[in-house]
Amino acid sequence: GPNLLIIGAGGVGDVVANKAVQFRDRFGTITWSARTAEKLAAKAAKVNARYGATEGKPFITTEAVDARDSAAVKKLIESTGASIVLNVASPYCNEAILHACLETGAKYLDTALAEHEFTIDIPPNWYERIEWPLRPEFKAKGVTALLGMGFDPGVVNIFCAWARKHHLDQIDSIDIIDVNAGNHGKYFATNFDPDVNLREVTEEVITWDEGEWKFIPHHSVWQDVTLPIVGEQRVYSMGHDELQSLAVNFPDTPRISFWMGFGEHYMKVLEVLDTLGLTSSVPVEVDGAMVAPNRLVKALLPDPASLAENYMGKIVIGVDVRGRKDGEDKRLFIWSTLDHKENYEEVGAQSISYSTGVPVMTAALLMADGTWDPKTMVNVEEMDPDPFLALMPDVGCPWQADELPTDDTWPYAEGQS
Ligand code: NDP
């Protein structure tokens, strides 16, 4: 099979590396790369040991790289002979890796929108800054790039494509619902990089409504839903990567919203941080030094990677899709659930990382055998959803679709599926 290069060795990278080794018969060499050589080598040693690699014959090898340096990434692609590059590093690396793939012809995949560390991006034009302007070049050179291939964005976009392909003639609304009902036992922590996370939850919310972009204050709009497995949950309207590409790729759908569950305690702590200005990235003077308040908070919060070990409970992520089929109203809830402890026992990561890494590997397998090879840049909802959804359970994430009442009610009782 094709040689694989994984860039990023955080929570998601851990899952992708484990899954790559589990499916190693489909690939040639597997190289794992991140910034810090020592940390990376220790992680790779663990993965090799977990699957019984013998001394001197590792399943996965490592190469440190600065993934913001496009020339260095290009060199690494060339020296490893990688024809598939899985970018699960920080989103600040996307631009450099995209260019390296464009130049070498290696297939590219990522899980999050590109970001610039020191600028605030104004939605909804996120994809129009770095990714989409490169699309004509990817197309002209026939190079494959799959954008946004985690769970959300990622699998939820594919659920929408599947609903449109098989179940609905017209989609009137898409509600993406993401609930982590797990408990890490800490007073306050973020599940991924506090920088990115605290910004995401405190910026103005953008939603696609009545066929146009609307802005609302964060956490000002919520609904109570009753989901399978995790029961009743309060979920808040939030902006999220996938809204922009879905609005483009589902032009007949007037309303697309993203909702995330937050507990009361989390909301209270966040309100205090935000009100005091501690979520701000604008530096303030402290005893003669300039300090960004969010950097200080980040330094004090638990390392997200350290949460996995004691995480208990489950996540449920799905899409509530409503529209019409043969003139009749129809509503589907298409969803997955994962268990933090189960995922930790398998690969040493919690379910949020697991739910991102499994779709990455599912797509990588489809890229490896040529099933998914658009030879241009696409957002994942532009691909045929069927082979992906047929394969994802085998890689580690089951899913299901339920037809729901069209009157807004939820038929799930607490704790049932
Ligand atoms: P982490 O912050 O835990 O890990 C990031 C990794 O990227 C680290 O291994 C880090 O290396 C590496 N990295 C950062 N900068 C560089 C660089 N300049 N050169 C090389 N490597 C670098 O992130 P996660 O694993 O939690 O998330 C990974 C990605 O997945 C993120 O883009 C995140 O936004 C996305 N994501 C997407 C989701 C989805 O559903 N679509 C859900 C969750 C996450 P080092 O350790 O050496 O510093």
Side-chain angles (χ1 to χ4, degrees):
N3 290 354
L4 190 64
L5 173 61
I6 303 164
I7 307 180
V12 178
D14 272 344
V15 179
V16 175
N18 273 272
K19 291 292 167 185
V21 172
Q22 288 177 17
F23 288 92
R24 60 188 176 276
D25 60 329
R26 317 284 181 87
F27 300 109
T29 60
I30 304 170
T31 308
W32 195 10
S33 181
R35 194 166 29 186
T36 331
E38 241 169 74
K39 196 162 95 188
L40 180 65
K43 280 178 173 249
K46 254 195 198 164
V47 175
N48 281 314
R50 180 173 283 132
Y51 301 96
T54 48
E55 195 68 44
K57 279 191 91 184
F59 297 138
I60 190 165
T61 59
T62 62
E63 290 283 348
V65 74
D66 177 3
R68 289 192 219 190
D69 176 350
S70 197
V73 177
K74 184 178 172 208
K75 234 167 137 187
L76 183 58
I77 293 172
E78 284 164 351
S79 68
T80 57
S83 55
I84 300 176
V85 176
L86 307 178
N87 169 17
V88 288
S90 106
Y92 307 123
C93 305
N94 290 14
E95 189 172 11
I97 303 175
L98 271 164
H99 282 285
C101 285
L102 192 55
E103 283 173 34
T104 56
K107 300 179 171 74
Y108 172 91
L109 171 158
D110 67 30
T111 65
L113 263 166
E115 299 197 34
H116 282 150
E117 196 160 14
F118 301 111
T119 59
I120 300 297
D121 302 320
I122 309 297
N125 297 323
W126 303 298
Y127 278 118
E128 277 148 35
R129 279 184 318 104
I130 289 169
E131 288 90 347
W132 288 354
L134 290 172
R135 192 166 169 147
E137 280 181 72
F138 273 85
K139 185 159 193 233
K141 282 191 148 184
V143 180
T144 288
L146 297 178
L147 302 181
M149 188 62 267
F151 207 100
D152 47 338
V155 178
V156 295
N157 306 49
I158 293 171
F159 283 160
C160 295
W162 181 82
R164 176 166 65 185
K165 182 174 176 188
H166 298 289
H167 295 282
L168 292 162
D169 306 324
Q170 160 66 26
I171 298 181
D172 296 326
S173 67
I174 295 171
D175 292 282
I176 301 155
I177 301 177
D178 180 333
V179 167
N180 173 13
N183 184 357
H184 46 58
K186 305 274 189 207
Y187 178 76
F188 187 82
T190 59
N191 289 305
F192 53 95
D193 192 337
D195 253 13
V196 179
N197 186 237
L198 291 176
R199 187 175 62 214
E200 199 176 273
V201 297
T202 55
E203 67 195 4
E204 247 197 339
V205 170
I206 184 166
T207 72
W208 183 248
D209 192 15
E210 298 177 320
E212 60 183 35
W213 295 110
K214 298 209 170 134
F215 290 89
I216 52 174
H218 67 85
H219 298 110
S220 62
V221 173
W222 69 82
Q223 58 166 326
D224 291 322
V225 295
T226 306
L227 302 180
I229 311 283
V230 295
E232 199 175 320
Q233 300 283 337
R234 178 156 294 182
V235 294
Y236 296 81
S237 182
M238 263 181 65
H240 225 239
D241 303 15
E242 57 269 39
L243 296 180
Q244 192 196 3
S245 72
L246 288 173
V248 170
N249 290 316
F250 288 75
D252 301 327
T253 302
R255 194 176 67 72
I256 308 173
S257 306
F258 178 89
W259 305 84
M260 186 170 271
F262 295 100
E264 249 176 85
H265 172 77
Y266 180 97
M267 290 298 295
K268 241 187 245 164
V269 177
L270 185 68
E271 193 192 329
V272 173
L273 290 177
D274 204 29
T275 309
L276 294 178
L278 287 164
T279 57
S280 166
S281 58
V282 181
V284 294
E285 196 189 318
V286 183
D287 294 339
M290 295 305 282
V291 179
N294 67 338
R295 291 293 170 126
L296 171 71
V297 171
K298 175 175 171 165
L300 294 170
L301 288 180
D303 172 5
S306 72
L307 303 175
E309 197 174 346
N310 297 308
Y311 232 125
M312 306 291 280
K314 295 183 197 292
I315 67 169
V316 170
I317 311 174
V319 289
D320 179 357
V321 189
R322 303 176 197 209
R324 268 156 291 140
K325 176 77 178 174
D326 303 326
E328 300 275 313
D329 286 351
K330 191 170 176 183
R331 175 183 174 209
L332 291 172
F333 188 56
I334 316 167
W335 58 281
S336 288
T337 183
L338 290 168
D339 182 279
H340 287 294
K341 188 161 185 276
E342 224 171 81
N343 296 157
Y344 185 76
E345 280 164 6
E346 185 197 324
V347 298
Q350 36 84 338
S351 296
I352 295 159
S353 305
Y354 196 91
S355 71
T356 312
V358 166
V360 168
M361 188 43 55
T362 307
L365 292 169
L366 296 177
M367 287 160 108
D369 71 12
T371 308
W372 266 14
D373 193 15
K375 298 193 193 304
T376 181
M377 173 185 281
V378 295
N379 289 82
V380 296
E381 65 270 27
E382 296 171 65
M383 299 303 295
D384 180 2
D386 292 346
F388 181 92
L389 291 174
L391 182 59
M392 185 171 72
D394 298 336
V395 185
C397 186
W399 62 282
Q400 86 184 57
D402 300 330
E403 201 166 330
L404 261 48
T406 53
D407 66 357
D408 268 8
T409 58
W410 293 85
Y412 305 106
E414 184 93 20
Q416 280 179 357
S417 60

